[in-house]
Amino acid sequence: MTGAQEIPSTDSPATGVATLTIVGNVLSVDLTFSGLTGGPAAAGASAALISGLQADQAYTNVHDATFPGGEIRGNLVPEPSTSALLGAALVTTAALRRARLI
């Protein structure tokens, strides 16, 4: 998360990292940031975050008194699940073995 990713961008030197984990119906958020120049961060809305995640249009945004629209922002990029990666590896391996036998 950086001020350059904010819309409109800010010249804030602050940075941050967010990790979101969904297991079943449980959402866990780990948000770390530093260098905010606008004061304490404001709270966010979890319902909007969940909707954005489901539509692949989610982002993190840290708001404060100086930047009420957000001081820093970062887009959330889904990480492929381990099972999806394993499945893709198995399909690729099977395809390679078949290609060698033909």
Side-chain angles (χ1 to χ4, degrees):
M1 299 168 52
T2 65
Q5 294 181 36
E6 189 60 55
I7 300 173
S9 64
T10 69
D11 61 355
S12 173
T15 59
V17 174
T19 302
L20 285 75
T21 306
I22 299 175
V23 176
N25 293 327
V26 177
L27 170 65
S28 299
V29 178
D30 181 19
L31 175 63
T32 304
F33 53 87
S34 64
L36 296 179
T37 61
S46 61
L49 176 60
I50 292 169
S51 295
L53 285 170
Q54 292 171 337
D56 290 331
Q57 298 177 341
Y59 61 91
T60 56
N61 200 341
V62 177
H63 301 252
D64 54 39
T66 303
F67 301 97
E71 183 169 346
I72 58 174
R73 172 183 170 135
N75 292 325
L76 296 174
V77 179
E79 179 180 344
S81 69
T82 302
S83 60
L85 289 174
L86 177 60
L90 291 174
V91 168
T92 302
T93 301
L96 290 173
R97 284 187 180 170
R98 175 175 255 178
R100 288 182 191 157
L101 295 176
I102 295 177

